[in-house]
Amino acid sequence: MSRDGRPPRAPVVLAAALFALPALVAVVPGAPVRADDVGTAARAKQWPLTALRAAEAWRHTRGEGVLVAVLDTGVDPRHPDLAGAVTVGPDFTGDRGVSSRYSGHHGTSMASLIAGRGHGEHDASGVLGVAPKARVLSVRVTLENDDPQRKRLAGRSTNALAKGIRYATDHGADVISMSLGGGSGTWEGSAAEEEAVQYAIDRGVVLVASSGNDGANGNRKNFPAAYPGVIAVGAVDESLRVPRFSNRQEYLSVVAPGARIVSADGPGSYVVGDGTSSAAAMVAGVVSLVRARYPELSPAQVRRAVERGTARRPATGHDAAYGHGVVRADLALEQAERYTRRRVTAGLLTPMGNGHARDAHKPEFTKTPANAQSPAIRPGGPPAGPVYFGGGPPPDDSTPSRRLVGAALILVSVLLGVSIAIRDRRGSRSAGGC
């Protein structure tokens, strides 16, 4: 029992659903196996593209001309599914001992879900993002959950997320994707982060963040998702039901696929996981499609188009589990078109930062205290230091099925001659993951 009276939480993990990996490829003894079979199988397992109606949206746009800043653990530009799509920006973590072993896994996963291009003949293999023609700006603002540098940097406030938001805004980002939480180490947010969010929105940037993965144990208010103006995203599974881990909060905007999600990992490898991190990345992809098709819309209008362009809307229009409903890329574009027609008819378009337009008669952002309605931090609460939520609820390592799956995965990897990471990426924070 912790000092604040709550039971201790399980460690954060990134790849919580590794049991799904061996199912990617069926290995037949004696049959030849091509190295790219994993990439082909990864594409076949991308159920979220169907749920989001991505193909229908791609009739209008695939995200051309949009720059998405991925504020995360770094993005590996060497992955074949991201070839030519990534610009590597600065590292604000304060980590001076960057190791390829511990950097870029989570960020690469998120970038592939947003803007993966696939690879091979006709780009038919690998992960295809929701906005496969968008570009990615990688800004490192946090460490992998299993990075040993996390302990060394714990307690140091670098304002990495706030700096990353401002950097992305000043360097042309149209969308900022943040599959992370905890910010500067508190669960009350920070003035620097909230001011950075306002700075970005005032300049026409749309911000998306994951709502958190401790819905089954704590269900805490998480930042940056809880900052006003940010699109806060929860998760649904293949049945479009909200899993227990997805946080339920009144500020939740929408939900999106976040269970058994296939994404890129290290160079040439893939991972399957659960969490609101993946859901947020996919919504960032949907936002990118809206930005590409309707660049004149303000961040508030883009957010409303995404919130109203949903399926399975709650009877009341909004609830803490589903937000405004399950995101649909095609419906979001339809809603955005309606806003565009109204604005053009009313003549309310004026130039705006980063090449967009804003409503001259309505402010984009209403500032509220960063710690409004937030739980107090007591001694023994979460330790300080930047953190991202990771991939979802922790797996049960004690089950025989998980051990058998791990053995099967190793066999598949050897036969295919490719690298599929088996990592829990456990974090030092006791928070639910994204």
Side-chain angles (χ1 to χ4, degrees):
M1 189 70 69
S2 63
R3 296 181 188 176
D4 61 1
R6 295 178 179 176
R9 302 181 194 281
V12 182
V13 288
L14 176 62
L18 289 173
F19 54 84
L21 279 170
L24 289 180
V25 179
V27 180
V28 179
V33 181
R34 294 182 298 106
D36 201 44
D37 281 352
V38 170
T40 302
R43 177 68 60 82
K45 294 294 182 180
Q46 283 198 271
W47 69 267
L49 295 180
T50 301
L52 294 170
R53 302 294 195 274
E56 288 87 336
W58 291 341
R59 296 171 184 167
H60 307 285
T61 178
R62 295 169 74 90
E64 296 86 350
V66 171
L67 180 63
V68 184
V70 177
L71 274 53
D72 212 287
T73 64
V75 177
D76 191 337
R78 299 170 297 173
H79 197 286
D81 296 348
L82 292 168
V86 180
T87 298
V88 178
D91 181 346
F92 292 115
T93 64
D95 178 16
R96 296 293 180 257
V98 178
S99 167
S100 59
R101 177 183 175 188
Y102 291 109
S103 63
H105 295 287
H106 189 262
T108 302
S109 293
M110 299 305 105
S112 71
L113 296 175
I114 298 168
R117 278 126 163 82
H119 66 273
E121 187 175 359
H122 305 301
D123 297 325
S125 295
V127 171
L128 199 60
V130 178
K133 293 295 184 180
R135 295 174 296 121
V136 171
L137 171 62
S138 171
V139 183
R140 192 170 185 237
V141 299
T142 191
L143 307 181
E144 299 285 340
N145 279 344
D146 62 352
D147 192 330
Q149 294 292 332
R150 180 178 291 282
K151 283 187 177 181
R152 184 179 67 82
L153 296 175
R156 300 185 185 182
S157 178
T158 62
N159 283 326
L161 182 58
K163 292 175 183 177
I165 293 171
R166 289 180 179 271
Y167 177 90
T169 301
D170 292 341
H171 288 79
D174 302 287
V175 182
I176 294 177
S177 179
M178 301 174 288
S179 291
L180 45 80
S184 60
T186 75
W187 297 95
E188 298 181 350
S190 77
E193 289 175 4
E194 185 172 10
E195 289 167 4
V197 166
Q198 179 178 356
Y199 178 85
I201 292 175
D202 284 346
R203 286 156 182 79
V205 184
V206 183
L207 296 93
V208 183
S210 46
S211 67
N213 289 349
D214 67 341
N217 185 13
N219 195 40
R220 285 176 288 189
K221 185 175 185 178
N222 289 308
F223 294 90
Y227 290 123
V230 175
I231 299 176
V233 185
V236 290
D237 60 20
E238 292 180 68
S239 299
L240 302 186
R241 296 189 180 96
V242 176
R244 293 180 68 245
F245 66 77
S246 184
N247 283 34
R248 291 154 170 79
Q249 295 285 346
E250 290 304 318
Y251 57 77
L252 187 70
S253 298
V254 291
V255 290
R260 299 173 69 90
I261 305 301
V262 180
S263 60
D265 189 43
S269 64
Y270 299 89
V271 68
V272 180
D274 296 343
T276 58
S277 276
S278 300
M282 291 186 197
V283 171
V286 172
V287 168
S288 299
L289 298 178
V290 174
R291 291 261 74 166
R293 181 73 171 169
Y294 304 104
E296 67 274 16
L297 295 183
S298 70
Q301 289 179 312
V302 172
R303 186 178 72 251
R304 288 196 290 270
V306 170
E307 291 174 345
R308 295 179 183 179
T310 56
R312 296 207 175 188
R313 292 179 62 85
T316 59
H318 180 277
D319 67 30
Y322 279 86
H324 292 275
V326 182
V327 163
R328 283 263 302 270
D330 58 335
L331 297 180
L333 288 175
E334 288 180 11
Q335 290 294 325
E337 182 180 12
R338 293 175 184 175
Y339 282 123
T340 300
R341 288 200 301 264
R342 293 172 187 171
R343 289 173 63 83
V344 170
T345 301
L348 295 178
L349 297 185
T350 58
M352 162 177 234
N354 289 8
H356 303 307
R358 85 177 282 176
D359 190 331
H361 303 305
K362 185 175 182 180
E364 283 299 317
F365 188 93
T366 301
K367 190 170 182 180
T368 60
N371 62 350
Q373 299 182 357
S374 299
I377 301 299
R378 302 179 182 177
V387 67
Y388 70 88
F389 283 123
D396 183 358
D397 292 318
S398 64
T399 59
S401 61
R402 181 172 174 79
R403 291 195 295 270
L404 290 173
V405 162
L409 178 56
I410 293 172
L411 174 62
V412 171
S413 300
V414 170
L415 290 173
L416 295 178
V418 297
S419 169
I420 302 179
I422 307 178
R423 283 189 302 275
D424 280 350
R425 302 177 195 164
R426 297 185 183 277
S428 60
R429 288 286 294 274
S430 55
C434 280

